[in-house]
Amino acid sequence: MIWNRGRECADRQQMQELQSRELTAMIKRMQENVPFYRDKFREEGIEPGDIRSVEQLKQLPFTTKADLRDNYPFGLFTVPQTDVVRIHASSGTTGKPTVVGYTQADIALWAEVVARSLTMAGIHSGDTIQIAYGYGPFTGGLGLHYGAEKVGATVIPISTGNTKKQLQFMTDFKATILACTPSYAAHLGESILKEGISPADIKLRTGVFGAEPWTGEMRTEIEKLLNIKAYDIYGLSEVIGPGVSMECECQCGNHVFEDHFIPEIIDPDTLEVLPDGVLGELVFTTVTKEAMPLLRYRTRDLTRLHHGKCDCGRTLVRMEKCLGRTDDMLIIRGVNVFPSQVESVLMEMAETTPHYQLIIRRENNLDTMEIRVEINEENWSDSIRELEGIRRRIDHNIKSLLGIGAIIKLVEPNSIERSEGKAKRIIDERHR
Ligand code: DLL
């Protein structure tokens, strides 16, 4: 069990003192070692020595993904290459990958926060954890791996894909924990049914799912399919990887490990810091990372923060499940739409599978959205009247939630491609 009570249950003043100390030291490291930050501080008229308190964070400049690209690959590293022991990279949709480096101490910190995350979900040394996140430059596989070993669990480092082998290992090695994306978890759940594996042969108890947005309704669906309790783990490679925040057993938001990663919520347009409970863009300052600390990094993820003690005893600030990314927000006839809103409507219906796609097109200068909804085996029918009834109900529910209509297209079971990693839910045909 890796529960740092001193840190995770600290009162606000203790936490702020700690954050202030770490922030001051980080600014100094940046100033001394990275021309990018040195120039930025100079441009903004900031004397690094003046920053002594976390309350001053809001005076400091932001860092964006564009800054990472401009300094590709190693321009934001604060340590010499001899101190870097690992590099990860996430492939963006366009251009160069985003590169992150780790020192020995960063790897240890990462293992610590993932181990704390797993402990939050009640995972311990008696567990066997099947890690079906990708191993490689993506941070999911190796990130979970080191943390799972730190709690002393038995690790099955199977990586992603090869669903048959996943099921064989799961049953033969009696995995109690499954770690993968929620969309792949849903696929594994369906495959268990399809292969006719007896529920008695599946020993899973807990899922550690993240790396993509997923709704509470999707959680219920996956929990039913796999007969487990599913927990949300959040993270991004720029900050460290998985283990930036995690749900505890109360499941009332993800606790952020704010002794290492200080979160803020900003208005993405005005860049003003927003108070607790207000939806905005999540920003992180990684005060303890050595190789590539980040100052006020704009994640583009949209969520809300909540301070205050949780029933689990932790005082670490909580972030709500991410609504989505600012880049994934669609504007359909003037209305903002997030894929997660569509997902919550679809997953509440008994006839649908957890697989769907949104196709965005531009017709007569207006964006249109087609929702491809996969119907499950029990409800797929030869009767046009029955299918039309389902289609109408989806149409009605989407309209009541979003206030706009969409083109609802029902597709047959197993026709939407299954993802083994992050699901591709949006197909944008506007720029073809
Ligand atoms: O996805 C790290 C990770 C691996 C997290 C395994 C959890 C589990 P990236 O590939 O850099 O890193 O993608 C980061 O994925 O900014 C979010 O938009 C999204 N994301 C990650 N976790 C969640 C989550 C990994 N629990 C980007 N809920 C982030 C919603 C998530 N979105």
Side-chain angles (χ1 to χ4, degrees), residues 85 102-114 146 150 240:
V85 299
Y102 302 77
T103 63
Q104 292 281 13
D106 292 335
I107 296 287
L109 158 66
W110 193 10
E112 155 100 11
V113 287
V114 173
Y146 278 57
K150 193 168 168 80
I240 200 154

Side-chain angles (χ1 to χ4, degrees), residues 7 18 21 30 41 69 82 124 159 262 314 328 337 344 353 395:
R7 297 279 184 97
L18 173 76
R21 263 199 317 277
M30 287 175 158
F41 293 150
R69 288 222 184 90
T82 44
H124 50 75
S159 193
I262 305 177
R314 291 178 182 84
D328 285 346
V337 176
S344 65
T353 71
D395 192 33

Side-chain angles (χ1 to χ4, degrees), residues 120-370:
M120 271 193 204
I123 295 163
H124 50 75
S125 57
D127 278 311
T128 298
I129 175 166
Q130 180 153 342
I131 300 181
Y133 285 114
Y135 278 66
F138 174 58
T139 52
L142 284 166
L144 262 294
H145 186 106
Y146 278 57
E149 285 189 347
K150 193 168 168 80
V151 294
T154 307
V155 175
I156 308 175
I158 188 163
S159 193
T160 191
N162 201 341
T163 300
K164 276 223 156 82
K165 192 187 243 171
Q166 297 276 355
L167 299 184
Q168 187 195 350
F169 279 22
M170 192 183 283
T171 45
D172 291 356
F173 304 163
K174 301 186 174 41
T176 51
I177 313 296
L178 174 65
C180 61
T181 57
S183 49
Y184 193 47
H187 177 43
L188 284 171
E190 292 172 330
S191 307
I192 290 172
L193 289 177
K194 215 178 289 160
E195 296 291 322
I197 296 170
S198 154
D201 289 335
I202 303 285
K203 306 291 179 204
L204 290 180
R205 180 182 88 246
T206 299
V208 182
F209 304 139
E212 64 185 6
W214 56 307
T215 57
E217 290 78 9
M218 180 67 93
R219 185 210 303 273
T220 311
E221 189 79 20
I222 296 172
E223 288 185 335
K224 258 197 300 195
L225 270 170
L226 286 166
N227 191 24
I228 55 169
K229 192 158 165 159
Y231 289 87
D232 190 19
I233 187 164
Y234 168 88
L236 61 163
S237 43
E238 297 91 314
V239 169
I240 200 154
V244 174
S245 75
M246 174 80 188
E247 272 180 332
C248 67
E249 292 188 70
C250 304
Q251 297 197 310
C252 51
N254 287 31
H255 287 285
V256 180
F257 295 108
E258 57 175 316
D259 46 336
H260 299 289
F261 320 119
I262 305 177
E264 297 170 279
I265 295 287
I266 60 160
D267 179 319
D269 299 319
T270 66
L271 306 183
E272 285 302 312
V273 175
L274 298 172
D276 262 22
V278 180
L279 184 71
E281 181 181 345
L282 185 58
V283 169
F284 280 109
T285 300
T286 64
V287 281
T288 53
K289 259 195 353 176
E290 286 183 348
M292 203 183 101
L294 286 178
L295 179 59
R296 305 193 83 196
Y297 182 68
R298 293 186 58 181
T299 63
R300 305 193 218 179
D301 289 325
L302 292 165
T303 185
R304 301 178 178 85
L305 290 181
H306 297 280
H307 285 83
K309 195 169 170 179
C310 175
D311 286 344
C312 72
R314 291 178 182 84
T315 50
L316 295 174
V317 60
R318 279 164 289 154
M319 57 180 263
E320 285 182 18
K321 248 178 173 322
C322 285
L323 177 64
R325 297 174 61 79
T326 46
D327 340 15
D328 285 346
M329 188 182 82
L330 305 163
I331 303 176
I332 309 291
R333 273 170 276 132
V335 177
N336 297 350
V337 176
F338 286 97
S340 56
Q341 293 172 298
V342 173
E343 178 176 298
S344 65
V345 169
L346 299 182
M347 289 307 104
E348 275 189 340
M349 302 191 57
E351 296 89 349
T352 58
T353 71
H355 310 282
Y356 63 92
Q357 281 175 336
L358 310 182
I359 294 104
I360 313 304
R361 300 194 183 91
R362 182 145 260 249
E363 284 160 14
N364 303 325
N365 282 326
L366 283 179
D367 288 342
T368 63
M369 174 168 66
E370 175 183 305

